[in-house]
Amino acid sequence: NLACHAWLSETRIVAGTDDAKLLIFDGGDLLLEIPYAESTGLSQTTPPSFRAVLATPSGGAILAGTSTGACVLFERADDHHHLYRRSRAFVTESSPIRAAALSPAGDQAVCTLDNGQIYAIPLDADSSKVPNSIAVYFIIAY
């Protein structure tokens, strides 16, 4: 089942599924399926699902939030075999991601968790040197 979606371009969308796959559609046709195997170090009792997805304005990166509290960044690949490749994972906590939004500058995203916490996810080039990172509290719920 499709759980979330975002526009990549005028004709292309990305959709996250409840069995942790990203599906990229172009003009309504399935172009690519990207399976996701979690390796963030969080304990997991059920398989993850994608709960939120967003794309950068250029379509060069996709951030997907999971039911296990991780945000995973997929960046456009340089080769012709893959359109997108997993580049980084950000650990928040074990509460599921509810929603994600991109900053106006496009250099960070925020993810809201089911427990009311909001985490900031850096998307700038300097943060790409670390393959897995811990997300930073943005707002602590009351």
Side-chain angles (χ1 to χ4, degrees):
N1 294 330
L2 300 179
C4 52
H5 62 281
W7 287 100
L8 291 172
S9 69
E10 288 187 21
T11 61
R12 199 172 277 185
I13 64 165
V14 59
T17 68
D18 58 6
D19 61 348
K21 294 177 185 166
L22 289 179
L23 305 177
I24 298 179
F25 296 92
D26 192 1
D29 297 322
L30 180 63
L31 185 64
L32 178 67
E33 181 177 309
I34 306 170
Y36 169 69
E38 186 164 20
S39 61
T40 61
L42 293 173
S43 63
Q44 160 181 337
T45 57
T46 59
S49 63
F50 284 123
R51 303 269 310 259
V53 66
L54 64 82
T56 58
S58 66
I62 300 167
L63 183 71
T66 70
S67 59
T68 57
C71 286
V72 186
L73 186 67
F74 296 86
E75 293 182 295
R76 188 173 289 154
D78 293 332
D79 60 51
H80 296 298
H81 299 290
H82 304 93
L83 285 178
Y84 291 89
R85 180 171 289 148
R86 179 182 164 165
S87 64
R88 288 178 277 167
F90 299 90
V91 177
T92 58
E93 51 189 82
S94 59
S95 183
I97 303 293
R98 178 181 295 173
L102 189 64
S103 71
D107 60 343
Q108 72 174 340
V110 290
C111 293
T112 306
L113 280 61
D114 274 355
N115 66 4
Q117 305 300 319
I118 298 178
Y119 281 86
I121 308 292
L123 301 177
D124 58 351
D126 291 337
S127 65
S128 67
K129 298 173 185 160
V130 181
N132 292 311
S133 305
I134 295 175
V136 179
Y137 271 118
F138 189 72
I139 296 173
I140 299 173
Y142 295 95

